[in-house]
């Protein structure tokens, strides 16, 4: 399973990159605003900074909600760097834009997906990635992981190339369950990646190994 980090924070991206397990980055307008990145040019420059930090895909989201606007914005984003994946919302004009970008060989990530039907549409329109938001479904007492299972089944039935990018991942159990189900990618906060490191028995075991070494070598 690929690991993407869901942030626009350069330090956190660098930290995940240093660990050597990072495959890409996802951003959205809220995450950019959280870092205080405002103004069109600053936002574009920030995407380039992110692309220069990582080797994999970097999702950059359009703000337009009409087909022409999404095409114009998406083409501009795609020109910024070869790693850019244009993030398109799951709305009617978005589906048309996914199809357009697919025909032009521009990679896309269909965002704000909350149902299997939406994921099926995204795949048919040729999205490179589909982003079901599992944490936000959990927030409204609906099992987000069940949606990942449904999409996995549908995509396997028809051998769709669209990668399932489990988004709105909140914690390590989301990551582990997504890996069990067979999500292609997960995107979450830095803590959802570094949290996988932790086990008290590892700490206790290491402490004992080091203490025993010291005893024998002092
Ligand atoms: O990738 C989508 C993500 O940014 C949404 O996460 O935690 O705001 O639901 P969250």
């Amino acid at each position: 399973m690929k690991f993407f980090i869901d942030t626009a924070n350069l330090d956190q991206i660098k930290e995940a990159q240093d660990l050597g397990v990072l495959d890409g980055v996802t951003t959205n307008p809220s995450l950019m605003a959280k870092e205080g990145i405002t103004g069109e040019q600053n936002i574009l420059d920030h995407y380039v900074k992110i692309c220069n930090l990582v080797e994999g895909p970097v999702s950059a989201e359009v703000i337009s909600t009409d087909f022409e606007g999404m095409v114009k914005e998406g083409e501009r984003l795609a020109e910024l760097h070869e790693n850019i994946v244009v993030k398109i919302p799951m709305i009617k004009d978005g589906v048309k834009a996914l199809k357009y970008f697919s025909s032009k060989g521009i990679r896309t990530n269909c965002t704000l997906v909350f149902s299997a039907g939406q994921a099926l549409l995204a795949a048919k329109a040729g999205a490179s990635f589909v982003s079901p938001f599992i944490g936000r479904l959990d927030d409204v007492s609906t099992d987000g992981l069940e949606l990942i299972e449904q999409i996995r089944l549908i995509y396997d039935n028809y051998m769709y190339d669209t990668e399932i990018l489990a988004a709105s991942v909140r914690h390590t159990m989301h990551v582990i369950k997504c890996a069990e189900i067979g999500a292609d990618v997960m995107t979450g906060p830095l803590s959802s990646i570094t949290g996988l490191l932790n086990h008290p028995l590892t700490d206790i075991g290491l402490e004992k190994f080091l203490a025993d070494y010291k005893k024998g070598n002092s």
Side-chain angles (χ1 to χ4, degrees):
M1 183 168 66
K2 292 176 201 161
F3 280 7
F4 289 1
I5 188 167
D6 195 31
T7 184
N9 182 288
L10 299 179
D11 290 335
Q12 289 183 16
I13 294 170
K14 273 185 217 151
E15 193 176 332
Q17 176 69 20
D18 283 350
L19 196 58
V21 298
L22 189 67
D23 301 297
V25 178
T26 52
T27 64
N28 62 38
S30 306
L31 293 171
M32 294 293 270
K34 194 172 162 196
E35 298 308 315
I37 316 293
T38 54
E40 202 183 335
Q41 195 54 50
N42 290 337
I43 290 172
L44 297 179
D45 292 346
H46 199 74
Y47 287 138
V48 175
K49 282 183 197 161
I50 295 175
C51 288
N52 289 334
L53 286 179
V54 292
E55 274 168 31
V58 173
S59 289
E61 188 160 340
V62 299
I63 305 304
S64 306
T65 52
D66 63 299
F67 174 74
E68 286 76 18
M70 281 191 249
V71 164
K72 198 171 155 208
E73 235 187 289
E75 283 180 336
R76 186 153 183 226
L77 289 168
E79 274 169 16
L80 285 177
H81 197 284
E82 59 183 3
N83 289 357
I84 291 283
V85 171
V86 181
K87 211 171 179 189
I88 304 279
M90 172 38 79
I91 54 176
K92 198 172 177 185
D93 279 27
V95 174
K96 286 161 65 179
L98 290 171
K99 186 73 189 174
Y100 172 85
F101 286 123
S102 159
S103 74
K104 298 281 172 198
I106 292 175
R107 290 181 299 169
T108 51
N109 174 358
C110 181
T111 191
L112 291 167
V113 166
F114 293 93
S115 76
Q118 291 178 326
L120 180 55
L121 261 182
K124 283 192 68 69
S128 316
F129 298 95
V130 66
S131 287
F133 277 32
I134 62 176
R136 290 196 193 180
L137 280 169
D138 290 354
D139 287 345
V140 294
S141 312
T142 304
D143 190 347
L145 291 163
E146 267 179 25
L147 176 59
I148 302 290
E149 273 174 346
Q150 259 186 306
I151 301 172
R152 182 73 283 156
L153 178 66
I154 291 168
Y155 283 12
D156 288 351
N157 280 347
Y158 297 99
M159 288 182 283
Y160 285 122
D161 290 334
T162 305
E163 291 188 58
I164 303 173
L165 196 174
S168 184
V169 158
R170 302 273 173 78
H171 47 69
T172 53
M173 276 315 288
H174 273 156
V175 179
I176 292 160
K177 288 290 171 193
C178 282
E180 284 178 6
I181 293 164
D184 299 291
V185 192
M186 80 83 199
T187 191
L190 180 62
S191 59
S192 68
I193 299 174
T194 54
L196 296 170
L197 277 166
N198 302 332
H199 199 289
L201 290 178
T202 304
D203 300 337
I204 293 166
L206 183 61
E207 205 178 314
K208 173 135 178 50
F209 285 156
L210 295 179
D212 289 344
Y213 175 84
K214 263 193 197 159
K215 267 189 241 161
N217 291 278
S218 56

